[in-house]
Amino acid sequence: MDQFFTQKHCDRCQKELKDGRIMSMFNTDCICLECAEKESKEEGYEEAVKAEHEEIIKRYYNFKGIGRKKS
């Protein structure tokens, strides 16, 4: 099974992933929903969403993201 589904802790804050998880829009980090909410307010978020969408339209589903501008 893919590590994304079996991972126990958020890649950003290290909290337990008991209430859900999502992949970052910037990279392949597996993050908790709290970190996802914070990420949605980061500089470049809309650019990351658009870039991923463009790759999906091309049927490329292994896009690694555009990278985060903020740590």
Side-chain angles (χ1 to χ4, degrees):
M1 180 171 279
D2 191 298
Q3 180 181 341
F4 177 84
F5 297 105
T6 59
Q7 189 165 327
K8 303 267 189 232
H9 297 94
C10 174
D11 284 329
R12 302 260 171 89
C13 70
Q14 303 307 313
K15 288 182 185 173
E16 189 176 357
L17 292 168
K18 60 182 179 179
D19 296 325
R21 68 192 69 219
I22 191 167
M23 188 168 288
S24 168
M25 286 304 224
F26 290 109
N27 55 34
T28 59
D29 286 353
C30 178
I31 58 177
C32 67
L33 301 180
E34 185 178 323
C35 286
E37 178 67 27
K38 290 176 187 175
E39 178 180 88
S40 72
K41 295 175 175 86
E42 287 185 23
E43 179 184 343
Y45 181 78
E46 293 302 320
E47 178 186 352
V49 171
K50 182 179 177 187
E52 180 179 45
H53 181 71
E54 289 171 0
E55 295 301 316
I56 290 170
I57 288 172
K58 295 185 240 178
R59 295 185 178 180
Y60 180 66
Y61 303 110
N62 293 315
F63 184 56
K64 301 289 184 193
I66 64 170
R68 286 177 78 206
K69 295 178 183 173
K70 178 180 176 182
S71 57

